[in-house]
Amino acid sequence: MLLKKITSTILSLICVSAGYAQVQIYEDYIGAGHSEDILISTSSSYSNPEWTDNSMPKKTLNGEGLDGRKAEAARFLFQAGMGGTEADINQLAKTLDFEGWIDWQMALPKTDMLWLTRQSHQLSSQRLQALNNNSSEFDYNRVHFQYAWWHAAMTRQDILRQRIAYALSEIFVISAYSNIRNDGEGPGSYYDMLMSNAFGNYRELIEDVTYHPAMGVYLSHFRNQKSDSLTNVFPDENYARELLQLFSIGLYELYQNGNIRKDSDNNPIAAYNPEDIRNLSRVFTGFGAGGLTQEGQDAGEDLSFQIHANYLDYTVPMAVYNDYHDEEEKILFGNQIIPASQDGIDDVDMALDYIFQHPNVGPFIARRLIQQLITSNPSPSYIYDVAQVFNDNGDGIRGDLAAVIKSILLHEEARDCLWYENPANGKLKSPVGRYLQFARIFADRESQDYFWTSGFTFEYNTYQRPLASPSVFNFYLPDHQPNGDIRENGLYGPEFEIHNSATSTGYANEVDDWVRKKKVFTIDILDYEVPLQSEGLASMAQDPEVLVNYLDYLLCHGRLSAETRQIVIETLNQVELVPDFLEKRTELAMFLIMISPDYTIQK
Amino acid sequence: MTKYNKNVSSRRTFLKNSGCAALGCTTLFSSLISMKAMASAALDKGDTPSDYKALVCILLSGGADSHNMLIPKGIPEYNEYLTTRSNLAIPRSQIRSINHNPLDGKIFGVHPDMPNVQTLFNNQKLSWISNVGTLIEPITKSAYESNSGQLPLGLFSHSDQIKHWQTGRPGDRSTHGWGGRIADLIHDQNSNTGLSMNVSLSGNNFFQNGENTVEYSIRPNGEFGIKTYGTETNYHSLRDGAIDDILNRQYADIFEKTYINTFKKSMEGSVEMNEALEGIADFNTSFSNTQLSDQMKMVAKVIAARESLGFSRQTFFVNFGGWDHHDEILESQQEKLPVLDSALGEFMSALEELGVADNVTTFTISDFGRTLTSNGDGSDHAWGGNAMVMGGSVNGGQIYGDTPSLALGSDLMLPRGVLIPTTSASEYFAELATWYGVSQGDIYEIFPDLINFSSPASPYPVGFMDPNT
């Protein structure tokens, strides 16, 4: 019993005899009976005088338990990337060198999302053409970027960069549910921009967001004109408002630890007022197309402010046309002046500089990124520590996102076992996170060229799909408080905003499909499917405890509770011994664990 | 036998024995006790209704440009509208006529893409509330400009305004909606005290969120619960038993508990819903193939099942979003208004088939009206706007509230064509609540700002509900 609990998976046994070492590798577990007269020691300091060699620490069970390291690695990989493959987990388990892993990730070449989007369109069209001679069926904009997103998530190594880009996409939101058109170029190019900035500087990030045509169309500062009092036309305030409220500063003044500043009447202090928004909206005037699509060129159009979204090249940053730009003086935050008669790009530059320097930005971004990756209720000191890194990365630079990410992932609140004891620690994994973690581990990758899904059914069941939120407020807000204990304790749980009676069972139905139909991704119209790899699992299912232990570290990061463990094992033991009973056991174990909070809650 | 088995007797046994597993309630242990206390309090305040009433809230999220839905048609008022709205104005010849008594000598019509609304209005099943918006107290232009009045928090911000329209309390950041507060008070008047009386087709929302009430979210396709649950094979019974065990055990961790509570509530509700809806016949009314019509059709079905479910009071919530038209507003409204318009017509028709047209009142809300002035091809966040209320108990065919001048610079017009509301959302909601059967004392508690607008003597401050219903 004890032996089984120590480890359950691949194991090397070293047989030492007569002065030489002979290595035999078995792939089940200790106690399976391959060799006799082997004394298994759980201490690396054990030595026997009859041996000519001593057992080497790293090749004996040293009491830490291989599972413990794997669980730790799995947990980190979920925080840093929404999960790794089994090989990734095992690899990282050897060293648990998280900083080294981060450095390695940050140095990897960046996946090109626009290219992948275009390739996905091409390949899937070809496939559809081959099937039924008609490739015109797709609404390109809404589907191919999704294919590319999942394909990158499943095949590309830069999972940290992807994770951060995804987190940024839930803050600097654009969505398929909008007027953004033109062949997936919009989201593909926008996501590339987020990927590029993931380890860059926040100041550059907000500049790239500001000039990106997809954001211009989404928050309507594309073709935003200066005031014309004669025709009662005034600048659009949309981008100005959301830039302040959702992307940089937030509604209220903050302390560096993220707490809201209050005035003498205990009311929050507004960080900006309607006057600021009006002034800022005048900064974002004159934005127009920076590039023309081929279609536009073929139609004989010239690049100008007059170009509408239909000929807008989404991959080229917008230009600011001074003729349509408001050149009067603007004042932000009471005393930050943008002088009159400047070029539009200089106005934008100054405005972004003023916003960037606002003391709120550090804690604002820190809290949101921590909520994305680690926990919904970071302590004030966690936020403070990360905000300090934002304010100065140690080399006098403000806004260094790479340093911020490192500080979030390596902070003691994310790494030390204190998290286990703090009842306020934790978060609900987002539906996308629950799906991706599972897919990375269990998708059968042999002979798969692509990993596509449109995500529509998943969205219907869980209310989430990458870059397809219902509004600029994302799928859930940082300040959401679900009813019950979380709200009563003054805590937050953003992901619970889309966890309701429809999606709770909807998610379970998704899991049911994955484990019973044994498909991870399918697209009927393309006759395409990625199967679930489950052979290894079925053999483990001979001993339910082995299977459950395995799923524990992979899925629950070692947190599977005794109660859920008992329920699952007992259930597995009651499965009738029909011919496919091992498969049934596997299905059951995966289903029950994945619908349980042991899986869905991240600690 | 599993707890969520579709067998009727086990369901009844389960619900009888469930004790603290009070559905739609948020705390496992104290809810039953507090519900009993509240029930006796609520009963003191009014009779247990023997009739059925439902409020159907349609949220047009994003801030719908309702100044292009109810539109001045008489020449002088149209010209004011045209001047102010410039390139956003609907051509006068396209505005659909509606029969009503002139207001201050003005005549109005509705957007060309609202033929059902036109018919409903002319058949006295629908009325408009003009220039309604969030207000703590009446505001004048000079009070606004000198910052000397109490303004709703976060004026012009989506997140604040959309909340105020659901809570009826623009002076605080409460997250309990007035539909939730009403449910807290009266849900024990229903014979079904297990399932939430607040049903949502659009997930979590503030409107239906009370202290002891949360909404029961359902999907429009009529699928409830886990699809293969209850299948009669050894394998499924085994699995279902394990699911029950996972859902029914105690959890100490608050995140785990919160996750499980919702899941569990959903499973419990799914059994009842499946059974109740099984016997409901299809409507003769044919519903459009849009998500909104799907949702309204499901609302009608649940209303059809009210007796079998055991409800005399329910609320429904549907969010039809995407109205934040800073851009391309004319085209966008041309796409969305027909969807809204058809859904309203179809829903009313289904209610008439069921014979409950008088028992169901549907009303629209939105973050805010939009700026009367154009920003090029769209409009921006503003304040006062127009709302619709529909039902057999509505005094239909009227435009309620004030119809101020739409000329820039007029008395109630702030810069950019933002109208200061003349009817507060609290008055609008208070009247709906009165019709619904909530006592006046409770109404003044739910809407603390109401006292700034209407005296205690007028439970119908706006006048759109028939007091005899």
Side-chain angles (χ1 to χ4, degrees):
Chain A
M1 251 344 196
L2 176 65
L3 294 173
K4 280 188 197 171
K5 284 192 166 138
I6 289 168
T7 184
S8 57
T9 55
I10 299 167
L11 202 40
S12 311
L13 293 178
I14 303 225
C15 305
V16 179
S17 68
Y20 65 93
Q22 169 191 358
V23 178
Q24 177 76 49
I25 298 191
Y26 296 96
E27 292 193 17
D28 44 22
Y29 56 90
I30 290 179
H34 292 286
S35 302
E36 294 176 23
D37 298 330
I38 297 287
L39 180 65
I40 307 294
S41 165
T42 60
S43 166
S44 64
S45 63
Y46 180 84
S47 65
N48 186 315
E50 286 173 48
W51 292 2
T52 54
D53 266 338
N54 275 331
S55 52
M56 298 192 300
K58 61 180 183 184
K59 297 203 172 167
T60 61
L61 303 170
N62 59 12
E64 283 173 19
L66 294 172
D67 271 3
R69 299 177 71 87
K70 289 184 184 177
E72 184 68 26
R75 176 172 179 264
F76 174 81
L77 285 173
F78 188 81
Q79 290 172 330
M82 282 198 283
T85 63
E86 191 175 351
D88 293 337
I89 294 171
N90 290 340
Q91 178 69 26
L92 187 56
K94 291 180 189 168
T95 61
L96 294 184
D97 177 10
F98 299 137
E99 185 163 3
W101 184 89
I102 294 172
D103 290 335
W104 166 65
Q105 280 282 317
M106 287 186 172
L108 285 174
K110 161 184 128 17
T111 297
D112 186 332
M113 286 302 296
L114 180 61
W115 181 88
L116 254 186
T117 305
R118 288 170 171 163
Q119 193 211 36
S120 302
H121 178 240
Q122 194 183 16
L123 291 169
S124 56
S125 295
Q126 281 170 8
R127 192 181 178 112
L128 188 62
Q129 180 85 8
L131 282 175
N132 65 7
N133 230 24
N134 176 6
S135 67
S136 65
E137 289 189 23
F138 288 137
D139 177 347
Y140 187 12
N141 185 60
R142 298 173 72 174
V143 176
H144 300 88
F145 173 73
Q146 292 290 322
Y147 292 172
W149 193 91
W150 289 96
H151 184 74
M154 296 296 291
T155 63
R156 298 294 200 261
Q157 281 199 309
D158 55 346
I159 68 171
L160 178 62
R161 188 186 285 276
Q162 290 178 44
R163 179 68 189 92
I164 301 304
Y166 184 68
L168 294 176
S169 80
E170 290 200 352
I171 300 170
F172 302 89
V173 175
I174 62 163
S175 172
Y177 296 115
S178 68
N179 291 329
I180 297 173
R181 296 285 176 264
N182 288 20
D183 302 345
E185 305 271 290
S189 159
Y190 186 81
Y191 207 76
D192 262 340
M193 180 272 294
L194 295 180
M195 294 273 276
S196 299
N197 283 303
F199 305 140
N201 192 290
Y202 176 85
R203 174 61 180 80
E204 195 169 331
L205 171 63
I206 54 172
E207 183 160 323
D208 288 349
V209 167
T210 298
Y211 283 99
H212 199 284
M215 180 56 80
V217 170
Y218 190 61
L219 290 185
S220 55
H221 56 293
F222 171 66
R223 298 194 70 245
N224 187 22
Q225 293 191 62
K226 63 184 175 183
S227 307
D228 183 340
S229 47
L230 287 177
T231 57
N232 288 332
V233 171
F234 297 91
D236 185 320
E237 292 177 1
N238 209 8
Y239 184 65
R241 181 188 305 282
E242 309 310 353
L243 172 60
L244 294 180
Q245 184 170 341
L246 300 176
F247 300 167
S248 62
I249 295 176
L251 288 173
Y252 306 119
E253 286 192 9
L254 302 173
Y255 291 106
Q256 288 300 300
N257 64 12
N259 286 340
I260 295 177
R261 285 182 186 272
K262 305 269 178 80
D263 61 20
S264 47
D265 295 322
N266 209 35
N267 290 323
I269 303 173
Y272 54 88
N273 55 38
E275 211 28 60
D276 291 318
I277 296 177
R278 270 195 285 278
N279 274 268
L280 193 56
S281 72
R282 291 165 47 218
V283 171
F284 299 120
T285 50
F287 277 71
L292 208 52
T293 58
Q294 190 59 52
E295 206 191 326
Q297 293 172 43
D298 293 344
E301 295 286 338
D302 289 323
L303 191 60
S304 77
F305 183 79
Q306 306 307 334
I307 295 298
H308 278 259
N310 54 345
Y311 290 149
L312 170 66
D313 186 337
Y314 278 86
T315 67
V316 177
M318 292 186 285
V320 184
Y321 292 87
N322 287 321
D323 286 346
Y324 297 89
H325 178 74
D326 179 321
E327 291 199 331
E328 297 185 20
E329 180 187 82
K330 299 127 191 118
I331 304 181
L332 294 180
F333 311 127
N335 57 7
Q336 313 277 286
I337 300 178
I338 299 175
S341 311
Q342 289 193 145
D343 281 346
I345 54 173
D346 294 327
D347 276 4
V348 174
D349 218 36
M350 284 182 85
L352 293 180
D353 281 341
Y354 289 143
I355 292 169
F356 178 52
Q357 293 302 329
H358 195 290
N360 265 23
V361 183
F364 181 88
I365 287 292
R367 178 180 178 232
R368 276 155 180 73
L369 288 176
I370 297 171
Q371 279 188 325
Q372 279 284 326
L373 304 182
I374 313 288
T375 183
S376 296
N377 297 278
S379 69
S381 57
Y382 193 2
I383 297 176
Y384 180 86
D385 290 343
V386 176
Q388 293 319 295
V389 173
F390 180 93
N391 294 343
D392 184 336
N393 67 350
D395 290 327
I397 299 187
R398 179 177 173 78
D400 179 353
L401 291 175
V404 164
I405 291 155
K406 237 191 186 181
S407 83
I408 290 174
L409 287 169
L410 300 178
H411 194 276
E412 64 176 11
E413 202 157 310
R415 301 266 59 81
D416 281 4
C417 289
L418 292 171
W419 59 258
Y420 196 79
E421 286 146 32
N422 176 11
N425 175 68
K427 60 176 285 194
L428 176 61
K429 291 177 183 169
S430 69
V432 165
R434 294 177 233 163
Y435 192 12
L436 185 54
Q437 181 186 359
F438 152 81
R440 280 210 174 115
I441 299 168
F442 293 111
D444 181 349
R445 288 154 192 274
E446 302 299 308
S447 70
Q448 298 298 322
D449 293 327
Y450 309 109
F451 293 85
W452 293 334
T453 177
S454 63
F456 287 136
T457 315
F458 182 75
E459 181 185 40
Y460 182 77
N461 276 323
T462 67
Y463 285 15
Q464 192 178 40
R465 189 162 64 100
L467 275 78
S469 74
S471 79
V472 72
F473 294 98
N474 193 40
F475 308 99
Y476 33 75
L477 285 173
D479 290 333
H480 178 73
Q481 296 183 287
N483 279 349
D485 287 17
I486 294 180
R487 174 190 294 275
E488 277 160 35
N489 283 287
L491 298 173
Y492 302 98
E495 290 80 1
F496 285 102
E497 195 165 354
I498 52 171
H499 181 70
N500 55 48
S501 39
T503 58
S504 53
T505 50
Y507 164 68
N509 283 329
E510 282 291 301
V511 178
D512 191 41
D513 267 355
W514 304 335
V515 304
R516 278 189 319 107
K517 292 186 186 167
K518 310 231 181 314
K519 297 176 196 174
V520 176
F521 304 137
T522 58
I523 302 175
D524 287 339
I525 196 176
L526 291 178
D527 185 23
Y528 159 87
E529 154 183 330
V530 172
L532 184 67
Q533 65 89 1
S534 60
E535 271 172 37
L537 295 174
S539 79
M540 271 187 238
Q542 286 172 108
D543 185 337
E545 202 160 340
V546 171
L547 176 61
V548 170
N549 284 346
Y550 175 74
L551 294 176
D552 179 9
Y553 89 75
L554 278 179
L555 292 173
C556 307
H557 318 143
R559 288 192 42 243
L560 186 65
S561 61
E563 293 91 333
T564 307
R565 177 186 295 269
Q566 182 180 17
I567 291 169
V568 178
I569 291 177
E570 276 175 15
T571 307
L572 260 47
N573 281 330
Q574 289 176 64
V575 172
E576 271 183 313
L577 298 175
V578 290
D580 65 344
F581 82 103
L582 289 176
E583 270 198 30
K584 291 269 178 269
R585 280 185 174 178
T586 310
E587 268 173 42
L588 266 182
M590 288 181 69
F591 176 78
L592 294 174
I593 290 175
M594 288 182 70
I595 66 165
S596 75
D598 306 66
Y599 175 67
T600 63
I601 300 298
Q602 176 187 350
K603 284 289 200 183
Chain B
M1 188 145 57
T2 56
K3 274 191 171 160
Y4 308 112
N5 194 300
K6 290 179 184 174
N7 178 290
V8 171
S9 65
S10 77
R11 166 173 73 86
R12 293 232 154 87
T13 313
F14 166 68
L15 289 173
K16 196 167 52 133
N17 294 337
S18 67
C20 295
L23 303 159
C25 292
T26 56
T27 55
L28 270 183
F29 303 103
S30 64
S31 52
L32 190 61
I33 299 157
S34 59
M35 275 164 63
K36 282 185 170 156
M38 284 188 314
S40 48
L43 285 171
D44 283 343
K45 295 179 181 189
D47 296 342
T48 309
S50 53
D51 61 334
Y52 174 81
K53 281 188 173 155
L55 283 171
V56 179
C57 176
I58 299 181
L59 165 63
L60 305 175
S61 60
D65 195 319
S66 47
H67 293 300
N68 267 8
M69 294 183 200
L70 179 68
I71 312 171
K73 184 149 184 170
I75 294 178
E77 52 271 26
Y78 179 79
N79 285 337
E80 255 183 2
Y81 160 87
L82 176 62
T83 306
T84 304
R85 293 229 89 177
S86 66
N87 62 2
L88 300 188
I90 303 292
R92 187 166 169 273
S93 57
Q94 289 178 19
I95 301 172
R96 289 177 175 270
S97 298
I98 52 179
N99 307 330
H100 70 95
N101 296 323
L103 299 114
D104 283 341
K106 298 179 199 174
I107 299 285
F108 291 81
V110 296
H111 188 283
D113 287 316
M114 299 184 96
N116 283 286
V117 167
Q118 177 190 32
T119 306
L120 289 163
F121 184 95
N122 290 338
N123 290 342
Q124 318 213 316
K125 298 173 186 174
L126 180 151
S127 279
W128 285 91
I129 323 283
S130 165
N131 198 30
V132 54
T134 54
L135 286 170
I136 300 175
E137 58 180 15
I139 290 286
T140 61
K141 197 192 314 199
S142 59
Y144 181 88
E145 283 164 354
S146 61
N147 213 19
S148 57
Q150 282 188 83
L151 293 178
L153 297 178
L155 203 48
F156 311 124
S157 150
H158 284 296
S159 51
D160 284 301
Q161 295 303 307
I162 210 170
K163 195 188 284 183
H164 299 331
W165 274 88
Q166 297 179 61
T167 62
R169 295 184 174 201
D172 67 47
R173 292 204 150 88
S174 166
T175 53
H176 292 143
W178 59 275
R181 290 177 197 274
I182 291 176
D184 285 344
L185 288 171
I186 69 166
H187 76 105
D188 256 8
Q189 290 173 4
N190 293 307
S191 55
N192 186 332
T193 54
L195 202 54
S196 180
M197 61 176 265
N198 288 355
V199 176
S200 169
L201 271 295
S202 299
N204 301 2
N205 62 86
F206 296 116
F207 172 62
Q208 295 177 313
N209 187 40
E211 218 151 320
N212 296 304
T213 308
V214 290
E215 88 296 335
Y216 178 62
S217 284
I218 63 177
R219 287 185 225 98
N221 63 3
E223 278 178 8
F224 304 101
I226 293 180
K227 271 188 290 197
T228 49
Y229 190 94
T231 309
E232 282 163 14
T233 67
N234 287 337
Y235 174 79
H236 279 100
S237 304
L238 193 58
R239 189 191 73 160
D240 294 354
I243 294 172
D244 294 348
D245 288 341
I246 288 175
L247 290 178
N248 288 309
R249 75 167 179 89
Q250 298 304 313
Y251 290 88
D253 179 270
I254 56 178
F255 293 91
E256 295 184 349
K257 199 196 282 189
T258 306
Y259 169 81
I260 283 289
N261 272 0
T262 305
F263 192 174
K264 184 169 152 174
K265 267 175 348 213
S266 178
M267 290 297 288
E268 288 164 349
S270 70
V271 176
E272 290 194 69
M273 292 301 288
N274 279 325
E275 280 184 34
L277 292 186
E278 230 166 273
I280 301 299
D282 277 336
F283 296 111
N284 292 329
T285 307
S286 85
F287 281 80
S288 304
N289 188 15
T290 67
Q291 188 187 36
L292 180 61
S293 284
D294 283 345
Q295 291 165 321
M296 298 309 292
K297 182 173 176 185
M298 181 51 67
V299 172
K301 278 194 174 162
V302 176
I303 292 174
R306 66 200 178 283
E307 278 169 17
S308 138
L309 287 170
F311 286 106
S312 52
R313 288 289 183 276
Q314 286 180 298
T315 75
F316 297 89
F317 178 82
V318 177
N319 180 358
F320 177 35
W323 294 88
D324 192 24
H325 298 132
H326 290 271
D327 251 10
E328 297 181 359
I329 196 173
L330 294 175
E331 304 89 320
S332 304
Q333 288 211 317
Q334 271 171 10
E335 275 180 34
K336 297 184 89 68
L337 286 175
V339 174
L340 176 62
D341 183 71
S342 311
L344 288 171
E346 290 153 7
F347 185 60
M348 193 65 197
S349 168
L351 294 177
E352 281 162 352
E353 275 184 64
L354 294 173
V356 294
D358 291 353
N359 306 74
V360 179
T361 301
T362 305
F363 63 101
T364 66
I365 61 173
S366 189
D367 321 23
F368 28 63
R370 302 188 79 81
T371 55
L372 283 154
T373 57
S374 165
N375 66 23
D377 64 351
S379 52
D380 291 301
H381 303 179
W383 199 355
N386 304 319
M388 288 182 279
V389 60
M390 175 178 84
S393 296
V394 170
N395 294 326
Q398 316 252 26
I399 301 173
Y400 289 94
D402 291 341
T403 53
S405 160
L406 300 184
L408 288 180
S410 64
D411 284 349
L412 290 165
M413 194 69 73
L414 299 175
R416 298 283 331 265
V418 172
L419 261 183
I420 300 176
T422 40
T423 297
S424 74
S426 350
E427 294 170 273
Y428 177 29
F429 302 148
E431 184 150 338
L432 289 165
T434 299
W435 169 77
Y436 199 61
V438 182
S439 76
Q440 289 308 290
D442 287 332
I443 287 179
Y444 278 87
E445 271 187 45
I446 295 174
F447 304 109
D449 304 322
L450 191 59
I451 198 84
N452 300 328
F453 297 96
S454 60
S455 68
S458 54
Y460 297 89
V462 186
F464 56 86
M465 294 308 296
D466 180 353
N468 299 319
T469 58

